[in-house]
Structures are given as C-alpha cells and as structure tokens.
Amino acid sequence: MLGKFQAENAALAAIAVKTAIPDISEETIERGLSKAVLPARFELLQNPKGFENIPYLVLDGAHTVNSVKFTMETMRNVFGEAGSELSRSSEKFMLLFACAADKDAKDIAPLFKNQFNSVYLTKPGNVKQSDLNLLKSAFYQAGINYDCDEDFENQIKKALKKACDEKSILLVTGSFYLIAEVKKILSALD
C-alpha cells in the first residue's frame, strides 16, 4: 500500500497486534502487512483491460480535505518529483472526480489546481445524493476548467477513453461509490 497515511496505518496495526499478542514475531507481522491490500486507497491498475494505453488508473476513495491532500501527496511522490506539480512531469494526468453533497467540495477543489491536464466531474452514482451545481461552482471558483456530465456512466467512459487516447494517468477520486461504478465498467470488459 502506497502513501504516508497507509504507512502510519500499518505502524498502528503492528503496534495493536504486538499489544494484543505480545509473543507474535515481528516476521509474522511483516509477512501479514506485506499481504495487506486496501481496495480503492491508492489502488493502481496498470494498463487496465480495454484501456491498455492508460499507463496507470489510480483509484482512491478520498472524500475529505485531508484524505485528498494525502492522495495528491502520494500522486506527486509516485509519479512526479516530490513537492513538484504533476503538470511539470513528462506524464499527462487526468482527473475524474465526484463527491456526495455533504462533502466539502469548496475546499477540496483547490487541491487539484494546476495538477491535471483534463478534469471530469460527475455524480458518484445513483446511491448517494450529489450537488453538481455546488461541485461545478467549487471548481469554477478554484479556477479549474472541467467537463461535467451528471450521467456518471457516460462520464466515466468518456474519461477512460480520453485517458486511453492521450496515454494519460487517470486519477479517479472523491467517492467510493464512484470507484465502484468505475470497477463495474471495467469488469464488464472481462
């Protein structure tokens, strides 16, 4: 699992296990942690089936200001020079973002400024309430150009196709519901 936040979580898990089971070996804890996966937390899909020209599809359910900050920090550390803007990298980056109406889109949107070549906004799916007008306003006020479509299936397919055509890394974030919809579309290609 990638990212500072996941490293901190792994350390806490190791401490908890060692506290609960004092005789457990460190090797056993390390072996367990090495097998740990957390879907939709900086989950990297390299050249996903049906969209093989996408070098990496990054799925992260980050939906709070702090979790999006960690996601963007991990993006810079994995794909760009630490502390540099992604847009300065030789790679192209795209964003597909959706969030529920109760999320702080106004403070999340600025975290994406100057980081992506293209930005796609949509609803997180049919399950959660969303406010696309609020979302569009947040990105507009942050000075970020975007393409918005309330038809999340159409917008997911559009972002995947564009990322594939442009050989861009695509970050999908803002909602675990959105990630689930992306995975449904990808699994239909199997």
Side-chain angles (χ1 to χ4, degrees):
M1 293 186 287
L2 297 170
K4 177 180 163 186
F5 192 72
Q6 298 309 333
E8 291 171 3
N9 285 342
L12 288 173
I15 291 168
V17 168
K18 195 66 174 170
T19 301
I21 311 168
D23 294 335
I24 194 168
S25 72
E26 290 179 16
E27 292 80 24
T28 301
I29 293 172
E30 288 175 9
R31 202 169 39 250
L33 288 174
S34 72
K35 294 178 182 177
V37 290
L38 187 54
R41 280 296 187 192
F42 216 85
E43 182 179 352
L44 291 174
L45 303 178
Q46 189 171 13
N47 309 107
K49 185 172 182 170
F51 300 96
E52 288 81 4
N53 284 338
I54 297 176
Y56 289 98
L57 177 59
V58 182
L59 304 174
D60 196 307
H63 55 273
T64 67
V65 172
N66 283 338
S67 62
V68 171
K69 282 181 184 176
F70 281 121
T71 298
M72 293 307 296
E73 178 183 317
T74 304
M75 285 288 290
R76 285 188 290 275
N77 289 335
V78 170
F79 297 113
E81 295 178 35
S84 70
E85 291 181 355
L86 293 177
S87 59
R88 293 185 186 154
S89 170
S90 61
E91 299 280 0
K92 289 184 181 178
F93 295 88
M94 295 175 58
L95 172 68
L96 174 59
F97 183 82
C99 66
D102 64 340
K103 301 307 174 202
D104 191 3
K106 178 180 67 66
D107 289 331
I108 291 172
L111 300 173
F112 301 127
K113 187 166 177 70
N114 298 323
Q115 303 298 307
F116 297 94
N117 303 92
S118 299
V119 173
Y120 294 87
L121 305 177
T122 192
K123 299 184 329 183
N126 286 326
V127 179
K128 274 298 232 192
Q129 287 268 336
S130 62
D131 186 339
L132 280 181
N133 288 330
L134 182 68
L135 188 59
K136 291 189 295 187
S137 176
F139 276 75
Y140 176 79
Q141 289 176 16
I144 300 171
N145 292 325
Y146 59 84
D147 178 294
C148 185
D149 186 342
E150 71 177 30
D151 181 338
F152 61 89
E153 289 179 7
N154 184 56
Q155 196 71 330
I156 291 168
K157 290 174 184 176
K158 187 176 184 180
L160 287 167
K161 182 180 182 329
K162 178 86 168 185
C164 190
D165 290 347
E166 295 191 5
K167 300 179 180 168
S168 295
I169 294 169
L170 175 59
L171 170 63
V172 180
T173 193
S175 167
F176 287 103
Y177 295 99
L178 177 64
I179 304 293
E181 296 298 338
V182 169
K183 286 187 172 190
K184 280 184 201 174
I185 288 170
L186 292 175
S187 68
L189 300 173
D190 287 338

